[in-house]
Amino acid sequence: MLAAPALAQSEAPGALSGEAWQTQLADASARLSRLYQVRSERPIWQDAQRVEALVQALGKLDADGLVPEDYRPGELQEKARAALADPTNAEARARFEIHASRTMLMALTHLQRGKVDPQRLSSDWELDVEPPDLDMAAISQALDKGNVEAAFDQARPSFDPYQQLREGLAHYRRIDRQGGWPTLKHEDVLRPGDSGESVERLRERLAAIGNTEVAAADASFYPTIELKAPNPHAYDDTLVEAVQRFQRHHLLADDGIVGPRTLKALNMSVDQRIDQIRANMERARWLLHGLPESFVLVDIAGYDLRYFRPNGETWRSRVVVGRPYRRTPSMRSEITHLTINPTWTVPPTIMREDVLPKVRRDLGYLQRQNLSVLSPSGERLDPQSVDWSNPGGVMLRQQAGASNPLGRLVVRFPNDQMIYLHDTPSRGQFARSKRALSSGCIRVEGVMELAQLLFDDTGTPADASRLVADGETRNVLLDRHVPVVLHYWTVQPEPDGELAFRPDIYERDDDLVEALDKPITL
């Protein structure tokens, strides 16, 4: 606890004034100036107990996945002792006042919008992080009451997913303090009906994260009582259900068999899961602000799309996203129109890397794929007339139809990377547990149903099924634009209260955690 100098506590909160104070205010940043403007320039940190409350609040930021030492709480205490010990040294007290407020505002900014700049981590990031929007009046009122933690709560994201991640982080840290969970042997492939010590370790592993129904009691503690606990060595139905739930939460085939992939997920360390949660709390701070009530959210790593409708209902579907070497970018845009019975112009990357090598080997590939060769101005060309070793600006276009890669419908929104949501003739891909299979765009299961919901919810008089059946290629403008967000989550709170951990398909978590742990300059 920071010792409270008697002389400093005797000063009234508004006692700091004069040339030294005005000099510090004149050099303050815009946000810092705004804080003191709402306070009529009254200082905050001339009371040792209030400084101690700030130190305590900074120390609790690890509950949000941040690093408390970034904000130098120990250094803040030392500076407070030096500055507040002599109430006659107005210059020292003024400097400390500004230093403490600057530290607090940096912490609040990191808590509200994130510590890490996502654009420095990923070149394909197209999702703007809005500037901090701190309610200085509410923060000032909390500080006047001596409740620094309430001031921090003003900045902390209030959305349920963030709170669930925060609770999950606390849960996994408790597991870590209790010694973690057992590791299963790599040769262990367990199936329903198996028995043995490996099954017991599996029970312990699942019980550690909250599956108490599979926990086996130790009969030696109660030798005279007939326990109704499961046989610890038996792979029974209850354990099968727990394994299947674990598999679903980790995007694995939920067959109840502990094979190599399930074993790998089970053997991820507690520390790795804690880091994964921290990374996704930072992603939540980037995203969970300024969202409308109704929007389309694509969860890239979760292969999932949710449309939060204006009536409060949520439409959900499976999606296919970009391969690791053709990543689907994170972005925010607005759905403006839908293309019915689309043609498909081969994008430059696919043209260069996929199609041209096949055409050079066999010119008949164009006819088999129903691809027309067009000049840059759109005129049809004879494939025989093109120098395919150096085709210049020619385009390849596939006509609308059942085999078109875009299927029968495309949902479009402006962006620099030509990304959109679309139908697909390869519907069997939706049954796969890992669906990073596209060239960057997002294939949506049941996209026809999504299209009709978009028409209905925006008051657009259109019948998706009838338009598709008509066979004509056309664009249908939405009467109102619908926001769309594409984002990358490797941890997602589930309705049953558990956290779902996804494979880091684009290998982004480690870089983000490293950036979170990198010290900052105050």
Side-chain angles (χ1 to χ4, degrees), residues 481-516:
H481 295 175
V482 177
V484 58
V485 176
L486 280 56
H487 201 40
Y488 187 82
W489 301 98
T490 56
V491 181
Q492 174 71 30
E494 288 295 311
D496 60 10
E498 293 189 23
L499 296 183
F501 293 90
R502 289 80 175 274
D504 183 14
I505 54 175
Y506 296 164
E507 298 182 345
R508 289 176 170 169
D509 282 354
D510 287 348
D511 288 344
L512 179 48
V513 171
E514 182 180 352
L516 274 173

PDB file of all heavy atoms in Angstrom, residues 481-516:
ATOM      1  N   HIS A 481     -28.338  -0.575 -47.477  1.00  0.00           N
ATOM      2  CA  HIS A 481     -27.103  -1.341 -47.354  1.00  0.00           C
ATOM      3  C   HIS A 481     -27.070  -2.067 -46.012  1.00  0.00           C
ATOM      4  O   HIS A 481     -27.617  -1.598 -45.020  1.00  0.00           O
ATOM      5  CB  HIS A 481     -25.890  -0.424 -47.477  1.00  0.00           C
ATOM      6  CG  HIS A 481     -25.753   0.209 -48.818  1.00  0.00           C
ATOM      7  ND1 HIS A 481     -24.784   1.141 -49.116  1.00  0.00           N
ATOM      8  CD2 HIS A 481     -26.466   0.040 -49.968  1.00  0.00           C
ATOM      9  CE1 HIS A 481     -24.897   1.522 -50.369  1.00  0.00           C
ATOM     10  NE2 HIS A 481     -25.919   0.878 -50.913  1.00  0.00           N
ATOM     11  N   VAL A 482     -26.405  -3.222 -45.988  1.00  0.00           N
ATOM     12  CA  VAL A 482     -26.291  -4.032 -44.775  1.00  0.00           C
ATOM     13  C   VAL A 482     -24.807  -4.146 -44.405  1.00  0.00           C
ATOM     14  O   VAL A 482     -24.012  -4.629 -45.212  1.00  0.00           O
ATOM     15  CB  VAL A 482     -26.895  -5.439 -44.979  1.00  0.00           C
ATOM     16  CG1 VAL A 482     -26.691  -6.296 -43.733  1.00  0.00           C
ATOM     17  CG2 VAL A 482     -28.379  -5.341 -45.325  1.00  0.00           C
ATOM     18  N   PRO A 483     -24.419  -3.708 -43.214  1.00  0.00           N
ATOM     19  CA  PRO A 483     -23.010  -3.813 -42.822  1.00  0.00           C
ATOM     20  C   PRO A 483     -22.548  -5.269 -42.809  1.00  0.00           C
ATOM     21  O   PRO A 483     -23.305  -6.185 -42.467  1.00  0.00           O
ATOM     22  CB  PRO A 483     -22.985  -3.215 -41.407  1.00  0.00           C
ATOM     23  CG  PRO A 483     -24.197  -2.343 -41.334  1.00  0.00           C
ATOM     24  CD  PRO A 483     -25.231  -3.024 -42.183  1.00  0.00           C
ATOM     25  N   VAL A 484     -21.278  -5.464 -43.168  1.00  0.00           N
ATOM     26  CA  VAL A 484     -20.692  -6.798 -43.145  1.00  0.00           C
ATOM     27  C   VAL A 484     -19.292  -6.686 -42.549  1.00  0.00           C
ATOM     28  O   VAL A 484     -18.550  -5.743 -42.845  1.00  0.00           O
ATOM     29  CB  VAL A 484     -20.644  -7.431 -44.555  1.00  0.00           C
ATOM     30  CG1 VAL A 484     -19.854  -6.584 -45.533  1.00  0.00           C
ATOM     31  CG2 VAL A 484     -20.094  -8.848 -44.506  1.00  0.00           C
ATOM     32  N   VAL A 485     -18.949  -7.626 -41.672  1.00  0.00           N
ATOM     33  CA  VAL A 485     -17.645  -7.661 -41.028  1.00  0.00           C
ATOM     34  C   VAL A 485     -17.042  -9.041 -41.246  1.00  0.00           C
ATOM     35  O   VAL A 485     -17.693 -10.061 -40.989  1.00  0.00           O
ATOM     36  CB  VAL A 485     -17.748  -7.371 -39.511  1.00  0.00           C
ATOM     37  CG1 VAL A 485     -16.385  -7.522 -38.840  1.00  0.00           C
ATOM     38  CG2 VAL A 485     -18.313  -5.982 -39.269  1.00  0.00           C
ATOM     39  N   LEU A 486     -15.805  -9.071 -41.742  1.00  0.00           N
ATOM     40  CA  LEU A 486     -15.042 -10.309 -41.864  1.00  0.00           C
ATOM     41  C   LEU A 486     -13.931 -10.233 -40.822  1.00  0.00           C
ATOM     42  O   LEU A 486     -13.112  -9.306 -40.853  1.00  0.00           O
ATOM     43  CB  LEU A 486     -14.432 -10.443 -43.263  1.00  0.00           C
ATOM     44  CG  LEU A 486     -15.296 -10.934 -44.418  1.00  0.00           C
ATOM     45  CD1 LEU A 486     -16.543 -10.075 -44.606  1.00  0.00           C
ATOM     46  CD2 LEU A 486     -14.487 -10.939 -45.720  1.00  0.00           C
ATOM     47  N   HIS A 487     -13.909 -11.187 -39.895  1.00  0.00           N
ATOM     48  CA  HIS A 487     -12.936 -11.104 -38.813  1.00  0.00           C
ATOM     49  C   HIS A 487     -12.420 -12.500 -38.471  1.00  0.00           C
ATOM     50  O   HIS A 487     -13.046 -13.506 -38.791  1.00  0.00           O
ATOM     51  CB  HIS A 487     -13.555 -10.447 -37.584  1.00  0.00           C
ATOM     52  CG  HIS A 487     -12.560  -9.863 -36.632  1.00  0.00           C
ATOM     53  ND1 HIS A 487     -11.445  -9.182 -37.048  1.00  0.00           N
ATOM     54  CD2 HIS A 487     -12.504  -9.847 -35.277  1.00  0.00           C
ATOM     55  CE1 HIS A 487     -10.756  -8.765 -36.000  1.00  0.00           C
ATOM     56  NE2 HIS A 487     -11.369  -9.170 -34.907  1.00  0.00           N
ATOM     57  N   TYR A 488     -11.282 -12.520 -37.793  1.00  0.00           N
ATOM     58  CA  TYR A 488     -10.534 -13.755 -37.532  1.00  0.00           C
ATOM     59  C   TYR A 488     -10.543 -14.030 -36.036  1.00  0.00           C
ATOM     60  O   TYR A 488      -9.917 -13.321 -35.254  1.00  0.00           O
ATOM     61  CB  TYR A 488      -9.106 -13.570 -38.044  1.00  0.00           C
ATOM     62  CG  TYR A 488      -8.228 -14.794 -38.000  1.00  0.00           C
ATOM     63  CD1 TYR A 488      -8.294 -15.760 -39.000  1.00  0.00           C
ATOM     64  CD2 TYR A 488      -7.297 -14.970 -36.979  1.00  0.00           C
ATOM     65  CE1 TYR A 488      -7.465 -16.866 -38.983  1.00  0.00           C
ATOM     66  CE2 TYR A 488      -6.457 -16.077 -36.952  1.00  0.00           C
ATOM     67  CZ  TYR A 488      -6.546 -17.025 -37.957  1.00  0.00           C
ATOM     68  OH  TYR A 488      -5.724 -18.120 -37.943  1.00  0.00           O
ATOM     69  N   TRP A 489     -11.294 -15.066 -35.618  1.00  0.00           N
ATOM     70  CA  TRP A 489     -11.385 -15.448 -34.208  1.00  0.00           C
ATOM     71  C   TRP A 489     -10.877 -16.874 -34.047  1.00  0.00           C
ATOM     72  O   TRP A 489     -11.385 -17.783 -34.698  1.00  0.00           O
ATOM     73  CB  TRP A 489     -12.841 -15.425 -33.730  1.00  0.00           C
ATOM     74  CG  TRP A 489     -13.557 -14.123 -33.855  1.00  0.00           C
ATOM     75  CD1 TRP A 489     -14.397 -13.744 -34.856  1.00  0.00           C
ATOM     76  CD2 TRP A 489     -13.517 -13.028 -32.938  1.00  0.00           C
ATOM     77  NE1 TRP A 489     -14.877 -12.481 -34.620  1.00  0.00           N
ATOM     78  CE2 TRP A 489     -14.353 -12.016 -33.447  1.00  0.00           C
ATOM     79  CE3 TRP A 489     -12.851 -12.809 -31.732  1.00  0.00           C
ATOM     80  CZ2 TRP A 489     -14.548 -10.805 -32.797  1.00  0.00           C
ATOM     81  CZ3 TRP A 489     -13.038 -11.607 -31.079  1.00  0.00           C
ATOM     82  CH2 TRP A 489     -13.879 -10.618 -31.616  1.00  0.00           C
ATOM     83  N   THR A 490      -9.900 -17.091 -33.171  1.00  0.00           N
ATOM     84  CA  THR A 490      -9.482 -18.467 -32.894  1.00  0.00           C
ATOM     85  C   THR A 490     -10.024 -18.959 -31.558  1.00  0.00           C
ATOM     86  O   THR A 490      -9.783 -20.112 -31.193  1.00  0.00           O
ATOM     87  CB  THR A 490      -7.944 -18.595 -32.917  1.00  0.00           C
ATOM     88  OG1 THR A 490      -7.369 -17.673 -31.978  1.00  0.00           O
ATOM     89  CG2 THR A 490      -7.391 -18.323 -34.294  1.00  0.00           C
ATOM     90  N   VAL A 491     -10.740 -18.101 -30.841  1.00  0.00           N
ATOM     91  CA  VAL A 491     -11.494 -18.516 -29.654  1.00  0.00           C
ATOM     92  C   VAL A 491     -12.854 -17.852 -29.726  1.00  0.00           C
ATOM     93  O   VAL A 491     -12.945 -16.657 -29.998  1.00  0.00           O
ATOM     94  CB  VAL A 491     -10.800 -18.109 -28.340  1.00  0.00           C
ATOM     95  CG1 VAL A 491     -11.617 -18.583 -27.137  1.00  0.00           C
ATOM     96  CG2 VAL A 491      -9.395 -18.680 -28.250  1.00  0.00           C
ATOM     97  N   GLN A 492     -13.904 -18.633 -29.473  1.00  0.00           N
ATOM     98  CA  GLN A 492     -15.266 -18.108 -29.568  1.00  0.00           C
ATOM     99  C   GLN A 492     -16.103 -18.639 -28.410  1.00  0.00           C
ATOM    100  O   GLN A 492     -16.177 -19.856 -28.206  1.00  0.00           O
ATOM    101  CB  GLN A 492     -15.905 -18.521 -30.895  1.00  0.00           C
ATOM    102  CG  GLN A 492     -17.365 -18.154 -31.047  1.00  0.00           C
ATOM    103  CD  GLN A 492     -17.580 -16.664 -31.209  1.00  0.00           C
ATOM    104  OE1 GLN A 492     -16.733 -15.969 -31.744  1.00  0.00           O
ATOM    105  NE2 GLN A 492     -18.698 -16.169 -30.749  1.00  0.00           N
ATOM    106  N   PRO A 493     -16.722 -17.762 -27.609  1.00  0.00           N
ATOM    107  CA  PRO A 493     -17.632 -18.245 -26.569  1.00  0.00           C
ATOM    108  C   PRO A 493     -18.844 -18.935 -27.205  1.00  0.00           C
ATOM    109  O   PRO A 493     -19.436 -18.417 -28.153  1.00  0.00           O
ATOM    110  CB  PRO A 493     -18.051 -16.968 -25.833  1.00  0.00           C
ATOM    111  CG  PRO A 493     -17.012 -15.948 -26.193  1.00  0.00           C
ATOM    112  CD  PRO A 493     -16.578 -16.296 -27.580  1.00  0.00           C
ATOM    113  N   GLU A 494     -19.198 -20.090 -26.684  1.00  0.00           N
ATOM    114  CA  GLU A 494     -20.328 -20.845 -27.190  1.00  0.00           C
ATOM    115  C   GLU A 494     -21.554 -20.657 -26.285  1.00  0.00           C
ATOM    116  O   GLU A 494     -21.415 -20.285 -25.110  1.00  0.00           O
ATOM    117  CB  GLU A 494     -19.974 -22.331 -27.281  1.00  0.00           C
ATOM    118  CG  GLU A 494     -18.996 -22.653 -28.400  1.00  0.00           C
ATOM    119  CD  GLU A 494     -19.581 -22.395 -29.776  1.00  0.00           C
ATOM    120  OE1 GLU A 494     -20.709 -22.854 -30.063  1.00  0.00           O
ATOM    121  OE2 GLU A 494     -18.926 -21.702 -30.579  1.00  0.00           O
ATOM    122  N   PRO A 495     -22.756 -20.916 -26.791  1.00  0.00           N
ATOM    123  CA  PRO A 495     -23.968 -20.743 -25.978  1.00  0.00           C
ATOM    124  C   PRO A 495     -23.976 -21.571 -24.698  1.00  0.00           C
ATOM    125  O   PRO A 495     -24.632 -21.197 -23.719  1.00  0.00           O
ATOM    126  CB  PRO A 495     -25.086 -21.182 -26.928  1.00  0.00           C
ATOM    127  CG  PRO A 495     -24.543 -20.929 -28.294  1.00  0.00           C
ATOM    128  CD  PRO A 495     -23.082 -21.236 -28.194  1.00  0.00           C
ATOM    129  N   ASP A 496     -23.244 -22.710 -24.679  1.00  0.00           N
ATOM    130  CA  ASP A 496     -23.242 -23.547 -23.474  1.00  0.00           C
ATOM    131  C   ASP A 496     -22.271 -23.034 -22.412  1.00  0.00           C
ATOM    132  O   ASP A 496     -22.095 -23.662 -21.366  1.00  0.00           O
ATOM    133  CB  ASP A 496     -22.922 -24.998 -23.817  1.00  0.00           C
ATOM    134  CG  ASP A 496     -21.548 -25.174 -24.469  1.00  0.00           C
ATOM    135  OD1 ASP A 496     -20.759 -24.201 -24.492  1.00  0.00           O
ATOM    136  OD2 ASP A 496     -21.254 -26.280 -24.942  1.00  0.00           O
ATOM    137  N   GLY A 497     -21.626 -21.877 -22.673  1.00  0.00           N
ATOM    138  CA  GLY A 497     -20.741 -21.277 -21.698  1.00  0.00           C
ATOM    139  C   GLY A 497     -19.281 -21.650 -21.866  1.00  0.00           C
ATOM    140  O   GLY A 497     -18.407 -21.012 -21.272  1.00  0.00           O
ATOM    141  N   GLU A 498     -18.979 -22.673 -22.645  1.00  0.00           N
ATOM    142  CA  GLU A 498     -17.594 -23.077 -22.855  1.00  0.00           C
ATOM    143  C   GLU A 498     -16.967 -22.254 -23.979  1.00  0.00           C
ATOM    144  O   GLU A 498     -17.671 -21.652 -24.796  1.00  0.00           O
ATOM    145  CB  GLU A 498     -17.506 -24.569 -23.184  1.00  0.00           C
ATOM    146  CG  GLU A 498     -17.899 -25.475 -22.025  1.00  0.00           C
ATOM    147  CD  GLU A 498     -17.587 -26.940 -22.309  1.00  0.00           C
ATOM    148  OE1 GLU A 498     -16.703 -27.195 -23.156  1.00  0.00           O
ATOM    149  OE2 GLU A 498     -18.216 -27.814 -21.688  1.00  0.00           O
ATOM    150  N   LEU A 499     -15.649 -22.232 -24.007  1.00  0.00           N
ATOM    151  CA  LEU A 499     -14.934 -21.567 -25.081  1.00  0.00           C
ATOM    152  C   LEU A 499     -14.600 -22.565 -26.176  1.00  0.00           C
ATOM    153  O   LEU A 499     -14.144 -23.671 -25.894  1.00  0.00           O
ATOM    154  CB  LEU A 499     -13.641 -20.934 -24.552  1.00  0.00           C
ATOM    155  CG  LEU A 499     -13.788 -19.809 -23.529  1.00  0.00           C
ATOM    156  CD1 LEU A 499     -12.416 -19.254 -23.173  1.00  0.00           C
ATOM    157  CD2 LEU A 499     -14.695 -18.701 -24.038  1.00  0.00           C
ATOM    158  N   ALA A 500     -14.841 -22.181 -27.405  1.00  0.00           N
ATOM    159  CA  ALA A 500     -14.473 -23.002 -28.559  1.00  0.00           C
ATOM    160  C   ALA A 500     -13.129 -22.511 -29.090  1.00  0.00           C
ATOM    161  O   ALA A 500     -12.964 -21.330 -29.394  1.00  0.00           O
ATOM    162  CB  ALA A 500     -15.550 -22.900 -29.640  1.00  0.00           C
ATOM    163  N   PHE A 501     -12.167 -23.419 -29.167  1.00  0.00           N
ATOM    164  CA  PHE A 501     -10.835 -23.088 -29.670  1.00  0.00           C
ATOM    165  C   PHE A 501     -10.700 -23.614 -31.094  1.00  0.00           C
ATOM    166  O   PHE A 501     -10.962 -24.781 -31.355  1.00  0.00           O
ATOM    167  CB  PHE A 501      -9.759 -23.708 -28.782  1.00  0.00           C
ATOM    168  CG  PHE A 501      -9.693 -23.117 -27.400  1.00  0.00           C
ATOM    169  CD1 PHE A 501     -10.462 -23.655 -26.375  1.00  0.00           C
ATOM    170  CD2 PHE A 501      -8.885 -22.026 -27.132  1.00  0.00           C
ATOM    171  CE1 PHE A 501     -10.413 -23.117 -25.093  1.00  0.00           C
ATOM    172  CE2 PHE A 501      -8.835 -21.484 -25.860  1.00  0.00           C
ATOM    173  CZ  PHE A 501      -9.592 -22.030 -24.839  1.00  0.00           C
ATOM    174  N   ARG A 502     -10.270 -22.725 -31.993  1.00  0.00           N
ATOM    175  CA  ARG A 502     -10.134 -23.111 -33.399  1.00  0.00           C
ATOM    176  C   ARG A 502      -8.666 -23.177 -33.802  1.00  0.00           C
ATOM    177  O   ARG A 502      -7.829 -22.457 -33.234  1.00  0.00           O
ATOM    178  CB  ARG A 502     -10.813 -22.065 -34.296  1.00  0.00           C
ATOM    179  CG  ARG A 502     -12.325 -22.048 -34.238  1.00  0.00           C
ATOM    180  CD  ARG A 502     -12.846 -21.300 -33.028  1.00  0.00           C
ATOM    181  NE  ARG A 502     -14.295 -21.195 -33.045  1.00  0.00           N
ATOM    182  CZ  ARG A 502     -14.937 -20.217 -33.674  1.00  0.00           C
ATOM    183  NH1 ARG A 502     -14.283 -19.276 -34.296  1.00  0.00           N
ATOM    184  NH2 ARG A 502     -16.256 -20.185 -33.653  1.00  0.00           N
ATOM    185  N   PRO A 503      -8.327 -23.991 -34.778  1.00  0.00           N
ATOM    186  CA  PRO A 503      -6.959 -23.986 -35.292  1.00  0.00           C
ATOM    187  C   PRO A 503      -6.601 -22.604 -35.842  1.00  0.00           C
ATOM    188  O   PRO A 503      -7.423 -21.940 -36.474  1.00  0.00           O
ATOM    189  CB  PRO A 503      -6.995 -25.040 -36.414  1.00  0.00           C
ATOM    190  CG  PRO A 503      -8.155 -25.932 -36.065  1.00  0.00           C
ATOM    191  CD  PRO A 503      -9.165 -25.032 -35.417  1.00  0.00           C
ATOM    192  N   ASP A 504      -5.390 -22.185 -35.609  1.00  0.00           N
ATOM    193  CA  ASP A 504      -4.901 -20.892 -36.097  1.00  0.00           C
ATOM    194  C   ASP A 504      -4.454 -21.070 -37.543  1.00  0.00           C
ATOM    195  O   ASP A 504      -3.269 -21.114 -37.856  1.00  0.00           O
ATOM    196  CB  ASP A 504      -3.749 -20.436 -35.194  1.00  0.00           C
ATOM    197  CG  ASP A 504      -3.196 -19.073 -35.560  1.00  0.00           C
ATOM    198  OD1 ASP A 504      -3.863 -18.353 -36.331  1.00  0.00           O
ATOM    199  OD2 ASP A 504      -2.095 -18.733 -35.090  1.00  0.00           O
ATOM    200  N   ILE A 505      -5.432 -21.143 -38.447  1.00  0.00           N
ATOM    201  CA  ILE A 505      -5.166 -21.543 -39.832  1.00  0.00           C
ATOM    202  C   ILE A 505      -4.230 -20.580 -40.553  1.00  0.00           C
ATOM    203  O   ILE A 505      -3.512 -20.982 -41.464  1.00  0.00           O
ATOM    204  CB  ILE A 505      -6.474 -21.710 -40.634  1.00  0.00           C
ATOM    205  CG1 ILE A 505      -7.336 -20.444 -40.559  1.00  0.00           C
ATOM    206  CG2 ILE A 505      -7.238 -22.925 -40.159  1.00  0.00           C
ATOM    207  CD1 ILE A 505      -8.585 -20.490 -41.427  1.00  0.00           C
ATOM    208  N   TYR A 506      -4.234 -19.313 -40.171  1.00  0.00           N
ATOM    209  CA  TYR A 506      -3.364 -18.335 -40.823  1.00  0.00           C
ATOM    210  C   TYR A 506      -2.133 -17.998 -39.969  1.00  0.00           C
ATOM    211  O   TYR A 506      -1.394 -17.072 -40.299  1.00  0.00           O
ATOM    212  CB  TYR A 506      -4.140 -17.054 -41.132  1.00  0.00           C
ATOM    213  CG  TYR A 506      -5.263 -17.227 -42.132  1.00  0.00           C
ATOM    214  CD1 TYR A 506      -6.257 -16.264 -42.259  1.00  0.00           C
ATOM    215  CD2 TYR A 506      -5.344 -18.345 -42.958  1.00  0.00           C
ATOM    216  CE1 TYR A 506      -7.292 -16.395 -43.177  1.00  0.00           C
ATOM    217  CE2 TYR A 506      -6.372 -18.495 -43.872  1.00  0.00           C
ATOM    218  CZ  TYR A 506      -7.351 -17.519 -43.982  1.00  0.00           C
ATOM    219  OH  TYR A 506      -8.376 -17.654 -44.890  1.00  0.00           O
ATOM    220  N   GLU A 507      -1.937 -18.730 -38.866  1.00  0.00           N
ATOM    221  CA  GLU A 507      -0.762 -18.584 -37.995  1.00  0.00           C
ATOM    222  C   GLU A 507      -0.569 -17.126 -37.565  1.00  0.00           C
ATOM    223  O   GLU A 507       0.516 -16.545 -37.696  1.00  0.00           O
ATOM    224  CB  GLU A 507       0.490 -19.115 -38.703  1.00  0.00           C
ATOM    225  CG  GLU A 507       0.390 -20.611 -39.032  1.00  0.00           C
ATOM    226  CD  GLU A 507       1.640 -21.148 -39.691  1.00  0.00           C
ATOM    227  OE1 GLU A 507       2.471 -20.333 -40.157  1.00  0.00           O
ATOM    228  OE2 GLU A 507       1.793 -22.383 -39.749  1.00  0.00           O
ATOM    229  N   ARG A 508      -1.617 -16.567 -37.002  1.00  0.00           N
ATOM    230  CA  ARG A 508      -1.585 -15.166 -36.581  1.00  0.00           C
ATOM    231  C   ARG A 508      -1.466 -14.997 -35.067  1.00  0.00           C
ATOM    232  O   ARG A 508      -1.088 -13.925 -34.595  1.00  0.00           O
ATOM    233  CB  ARG A 508      -2.859 -14.452 -37.059  1.00  0.00           C
ATOM    234  CG  ARG A 508      -2.896 -14.226 -38.554  1.00  0.00           C
ATOM    235  CD  ARG A 508      -4.210 -13.619 -38.984  1.00  0.00           C
ATOM    236  NE  ARG A 508      -4.161 -13.188 -40.375  1.00  0.00           N
ATOM    237  CZ  ARG A 508      -5.229 -12.817 -41.076  1.00  0.00           C
ATOM    238  NH1 ARG A 508      -6.427 -12.842 -40.510  1.00  0.00           N
ATOM    239  NH2 ARG A 508      -5.102 -12.417 -42.328  1.00  0.00           N
ATOM    240  N   ASP A 509      -1.814 -16.024 -34.302  1.00  0.00           N
ATOM    241  CA  ASP A 509      -1.869 -15.868 -32.851  1.00  0.00           C
ATOM    242  C   ASP A 509      -0.510 -15.548 -32.241  1.00  0.00           C
ATOM    243  O   ASP A 509      -0.397 -14.669 -31.378  1.00  0.00           O
ATOM    244  CB  ASP A 509      -2.447 -17.133 -32.196  1.00  0.00           C
ATOM    245  CG  ASP A 509      -3.951 -17.225 -32.319  1.00  0.00           C
ATOM    246  OD1 ASP A 509      -4.570 -16.252 -32.805  1.00  0.00           O
ATOM    247  OD2 ASP A 509      -4.509 -18.264 -31.937  1.00  0.00           O
ATOM    248  N   ASP A 510       0.544 -16.263 -32.642  1.00  0.00           N
ATOM    249  CA  ASP A 510       1.854 -16.083 -32.024  1.00  0.00           C
ATOM    250  C   ASP A 510       2.361 -14.657 -32.202  1.00  0.00           C
ATOM    251  O   ASP A 510       2.913 -14.055 -31.264  1.00  0.00           O
ATOM    252  CB  ASP A 510       2.867 -17.073 -32.604  1.00  0.00           C
ATOM    253  CG  ASP A 510       2.633 -18.500 -32.114  1.00  0.00           C
ATOM    254  OD1 ASP A 510       1.845 -18.674 -31.170  1.00  0.00           O
ATOM    255  OD2 ASP A 510       3.235 -19.427 -32.686  1.00  0.00           O
ATOM    256  N   ASP A 511       2.206 -14.096 -33.401  1.00  0.00           N
ATOM    257  CA  ASP A 511       2.668 -12.729 -33.647  1.00  0.00           C
ATOM    258  C   ASP A 511       1.884 -11.738 -32.796  1.00  0.00           C
ATOM    259  O   ASP A 511       2.456 -10.754 -32.291  1.00  0.00           O
ATOM    260  CB  ASP A 511       2.515 -12.371 -35.128  1.00  0.00           C
ATOM    261  CG  ASP A 511       3.527 -13.081 -36.018  1.00  0.00           C
ATOM    262  OD1 ASP A 511       4.521 -13.610 -35.474  1.00  0.00           O
ATOM    263  OD2 ASP A 511       3.313 -13.129 -37.240  1.00  0.00           O
ATOM    264  N   LEU A 512       0.593 -11.981 -32.629  1.00  0.00           N
ATOM    265  CA  LEU A 512      -0.220 -11.065 -31.832  1.00  0.00           C
ATOM    266  C   LEU A 512       0.159 -11.140 -30.362  1.00  0.00           C
ATOM    267  O   LEU A 512       0.285 -10.114 -29.685  1.00  0.00           O
ATOM    268  CB  LEU A 512      -1.706 -11.385 -32.038  1.00  0.00           C
ATOM    269  CG  LEU A 512      -2.703 -10.533 -31.242  1.00  0.00           C
ATOM    270  CD1 LEU A 512      -2.402  -9.045 -31.353  1.00  0.00           C
ATOM    271  CD2 LEU A 512      -4.127 -10.829 -31.701  1.00  0.00           C
ATOM    272  N   VAL A 513       0.362 -12.335 -29.840  1.00  0.00           N
ATOM    273  CA  VAL A 513       0.756 -12.476 -28.429  1.00  0.00           C
ATOM    274  C   VAL A 513       2.121 -11.836 -28.202  1.00  0.00           C
ATOM    275  O   VAL A 513       2.339 -11.154 -27.180  1.00  0.00           O
ATOM    276  CB  VAL A 513       0.767 -13.961 -28.018  1.00  0.00           C
ATOM    277  CG1 VAL A 513       1.383 -14.132 -26.639  1.00  0.00           C
ATOM    278  CG2 VAL A 513      -0.651 -14.527 -28.023  1.00  0.00           C
ATOM    279  N   GLU A 514       3.033 -12.027 -29.148  1.00  0.00           N
ATOM    280  CA  GLU A 514       4.357 -11.407 -29.017  1.00  0.00           C
ATOM    281  C   GLU A 514       4.237  -9.884 -28.968  1.00  0.00           C
ATOM    282  O   GLU A 514       4.919  -9.221 -28.172  1.00  0.00           O
ATOM    283  CB  GLU A 514       5.245 -11.826 -30.191  1.00  0.00           C
ATOM    284  CG  GLU A 514       6.661 -11.273 -30.127  1.00  0.00           C
ATOM    285  CD  GLU A 514       7.514 -11.711 -31.314  1.00  0.00           C
ATOM    286  OE1 GLU A 514       7.062 -12.560 -32.104  1.00  0.00           O
ATOM    287  OE2 GLU A 514       8.643 -11.186 -31.426  1.00  0.00           O
ATOM    288  N   ALA A 515       3.348  -9.325 -29.794  1.00  0.00           N
ATOM    289  CA  ALA A 515       3.152  -7.877 -29.789  1.00  0.00           C
ATOM    290  C   ALA A 515       2.487  -7.412 -28.494  1.00  0.00           C
ATOM    291  O   ALA A 515       2.812  -6.346 -27.972  1.00  0.00           O
ATOM    292  CB  ALA A 515       2.308  -7.464 -30.992  1.00  0.00           C
ATOM    293  N   LEU A 516       1.566  -8.215 -27.976  1.00  0.00           N
ATOM    294  CA  LEU A 516       0.933  -7.870 -26.702  1.00  0.00           C
ATOM    295  C   LEU A 516       1.941  -7.834 -25.560  1.00  0.00           C
ATOM    296  O   LEU A 516       1.829  -7.020 -24.635  1.00  0.00           O
ATOM    297  CB  LEU A 516      -0.164  -8.887 -26.375  1.00  0.00           C
ATOM    298  CG  LEU A 516      -1.554  -8.661 -26.958  1.00  0.00           C
ATOM    299  CD1 LEU A 516      -2.443  -9.860 -26.672  1.00  0.00           C
ATOM    300  CD2 LEU A 516      -2.180  -7.397 -26.397  1.00  0.00           C
TER     301      LEU A 516
END
